[in-house]
Amino acid sequence: MNTQATQSLDARGLNCPLPILRTKKALTAMGSGETLAILSTDPGSVKDMQAFCKQTGHELIATNSNQGEFEFFIRKS
Amino acid sequence: MGAADKIMTQGLDQTQFDQWFDQRFETKMAQREEAHVSSLAIIATKGTLDWAYPPFILASTASALGWEVSVFFTFYGLELLKKDLKLEISPLGNPGMPMKMPYGPQWLKDINWKVPNIVMAGVPGFEKVATGLMQQTVKNNGVASIEELRSACIEADVKLVACQMTVELFGYSPDDFIPEIQDWIGAASFLPVAQKSDVCLFI
């Protein structure tokens, strides 16, 4: 899936809770409506990103999985 | 005459009034829930490398979720607020702790070494070795260091408070601790914070 991202974050090799902490940090510096693309290798981040977006009101536009790598697109609320 | 009586005299019967009230109540409760900021209060009481993780992981994650977080460090938990973190791990008397090598070929890494307590207790420096192996395991797995998680908490305005009594009890000097500690307080000051929190954990 091709989604245009304003910024990207490489969280590969990091484990819980670092992908979420880095995501939150990156989103803080972004404007409302902008999209952040995140790469992660932590399998736990799939459920955590969903929970994070549900709690914080950001929109999880897409989740892709490819050979142990996960890609998330989050639109800032 | 109360508001409810007034409404009833204006022609609403009991059923209509109840309906009106239920609807209004739902709306108000939804508004309140929307405006509510969740909060977490943690009491951190352990000062070993393994037990340092839960409070900092939960506090930093909760702050990322937009929660208000306070952590009260007491007894050995104060070790987690030292400027110079020298946290160690003790496998002694902890049969739940896997003892695996973070180095070498996979077959070696897969072995769970069952070291008898008497060996762990008797070999000088055993805890130093175990601590080193744990730190390497943490690094290999991309798990954050305690320093990193603590910095994340400080950056996210997690309220770190320390137990005044413990400092005196253990003869600590206030200079040993990071300056980001927001307050030195006692149980009577933290319990009201815990009372108001949505989630309260004793770790």
Side-chain angles (χ1 to χ4, degrees), chain B residues 4-138:
Chain B
D5 297 329
K6 236 181 211 170
I7 287 166
M8 277 198 240
T9 56
Q10 281 164 13
L12 286 183
D13 63 22
Q14 188 65 46
T15 322
Q16 285 170 320
F17 173 74
D18 285 349
Q19 269 175 358
W20 169 84
F21 177 82
D22 288 351
Q23 223 169 31
R24 184 100 181 112
F25 183 73
E26 283 297 319
T27 316
K28 282 281 162 198
M29 287 306 279
Q31 281 173 356
R32 181 182 275 197
E33 200 168 320
E34 186 128 338
H36 177 74
V37 178
S38 300
S39 57
L40 168 68
I42 295 176
I43 301 162
T45 64
K46 313 280 193 298
T48 51
L49 178 60
D50 47 351
W51 281 100
Y53 275 95
F56 284 129
I57 287 179
L58 293 168
S60 57
T61 305
S63 71
L65 295 180
W67 297 17
E68 273 173 15
V69 189
S70 308
V71 190
F72 180 52
F73 295 87
T74 184
F75 274 77
Y76 316 116
L78 275 179
E79 287 295 319
L80 312 183
L81 292 178
K82 291 264 182 82
K83 275 180 193 158
D84 196 9
L85 285 173
K86 288 201 181 104
L87 303 174
E88 291 191 7
I89 194 165
S90 179
L92 183 62
N94 184 1
M97 184 180 156
M99 299 273 282
K100 292 184 177 179
M101 290 296 285
Y103 305 100
Q106 197 57 47
W107 64 265
L108 185 67
K109 287 183 180 173
D110 287 342
I111 298 174
N112 190 5
W113 300 86
K114 288 283 175 202
V115 184
N117 266 346
I118 192 146
V119 175
M120 293 198 260
V123 175
F126 192 84
E127 280 169 1
K128 290 258 183 285
V129 172
T131 300
L133 295 177
M134 181 68 156
Q135 282 165 339
Q136 190 58 44
T137 304
V138 160

Side-chain angles (χ1 to χ4, degrees), chain A residues 6 19 28 64 75:
Chain A
T6 322
T28 308
N64 305 320
R75 188 181 292 132

Side-chain angles (χ1 to χ4, degrees), chain A residues 13 15 17 21-22 25 52 55, chain B residues 60-61 64 67 141-142 148 155:
Chain A
N15 231 317
L21 299 186
R22 300 275 162 92
K25 207 173 172 185
F52 170 75
Q55 276 268 310
Chain B
S60 57
T61 305
W67 297 17
N141 286 290
E148 198 173 350
E155 247 176 74

